[in-house]
Amino acid sequence: MVAMYASLYETQVIDWETLMIETEKRLHNFIRKRVSNFADVDDLVQTTWLEVLVHKHRFKGTAKPESWVFGIAMNLVKIYYKDSHLRAITATHENALDQESNRKDEPDYIHEGHEHLKKAVEKYQEMSVEYQRLMKVLVENDVGYQELADRLAIPIGTVRSRLSRLRVYLRKELNWG
């Protein structure tokens, strides 16, 4: 059957304009069943025809020309959903970043941060020497667990344990949520 189509369309020149006129409504309905936004449906129909015209030299005749066109349309619909999903994720992420950065610019947030820092500096003097060393190396060098363990010459498990206890202590003493 495939060979029949191939030999039929290899010898026959396809009138792409006539094909477009005859299948326009079917193509529109085909995409409309898969995409709910009317504007996007029209864009996808136009993009399908553009792709058909740009790549018509690639048509090998192994299927009906209509099937080839609808295959292009289906691929464009898949790309549409893939891209819209990524746009939604990106937009959500950007909105969250905008809200977070806007919050950081607010005077009450800045004041609150200064108050927390002031309390932390006061509590630093009350901490044990091991916690003070841990915080000092951590704040001054901004390092990970392993490098912190190396700099303090203690096992990484000890670093994790001390940091965990330090967080609990600071949350309790400074009333941090």
Side-chain angles (χ1 to χ4, degrees):
M1 187 75 158
V2 171
M4 181 181 81
Y5 285 128
S7 63
L8 176 68
Y9 293 115
E10 283 175 7
T11 58
Q12 181 182 2
V13 176
I14 298 167
D15 182 6
W16 293 102
E17 187 176 340
T18 304
L19 178 71
M20 290 170 72
I21 293 168
E22 290 174 356
T23 58
E24 176 79 25
K25 188 172 183 176
R26 283 184 33 227
L27 180 64
H28 191 275
N29 290 336
F30 176 82
I31 294 173
R32 179 70 184 105
K33 286 180 184 177
R34 289 156 179 81
V35 177
S36 59
N37 186 326
F38 287 109
D40 291 340
V41 170
D42 291 338
D43 288 346
L44 286 167
V45 169
Q46 288 178 2
T47 305
T48 300
W49 290 127
L50 179 65
E51 291 293 315
V52 166
L53 292 175
V54 169
H55 299 290
K56 64 184 177 185
H57 66 279
R58 291 184 176 175
F59 179 71
K60 296 177 182 163
T62 56
K64 291 182 180 179
E66 296 86 5
S67 300
W68 187 70
V69 169
F70 282 83
I72 291 172
M74 191 64 203
N75 288 338
L76 290 171
V77 168
K78 289 176 185 177
I79 292 168
Y80 165 81
Y81 278 111
K82 179 180 172 189
D83 289 350
S84 66
H85 178 69
L86 292 175
R87 280 192 303 270
I89 291 171
T90 304
T92 303
H93 183 66
E94 286 174 358
N95 289 343
L97 289 176
D98 287 344
Q99 290 173 354
E100 183 178 319
S101 67
N102 291 344
R103 170 82 172 112
K104 290 180 181 177
D105 295 337
E106 294 176 9
D108 61 327
Y109 185 82
I110 294 169
H111 178 72
E112 185 181 320
H114 286 291
E115 290 299 313
H116 285 307
L117 184 59
K118 196 184 317 180
K119 287 179 184 177
V121 169
E122 290 169 5
K123 291 296 177 186
Y124 178 81
Q125 301 302 324
E126 298 173 15
M127 290 180 198
S128 67
V129 176
E130 64 184 22
Y131 285 146
Q132 286 181 3
R133 280 185 53 217
L134 187 68
M135 274 192 66
K136 183 176 181 183
V137 172
L138 186 61
V139 170
E140 288 177 356
N141 300 297
D142 191 30
V143 294
Y145 291 137
Q146 186 60 55
E147 193 169 339
L148 191 57
D150 294 343
R151 288 179 187 234
L152 295 173
I154 57 177
I156 193 168
T158 304
V159 168
R160 288 187 175 127
S161 174
R162 286 182 186 173
L163 280 174
S164 177
R165 285 180 287 172
L166 181 59
R167 285 186 201 104
V168 170
Y169 170 79
L170 289 173
R171 281 188 194 111
K172 179 181 164 210
E173 293 297 317
L174 304 176
N175 297 318
W176 289 350

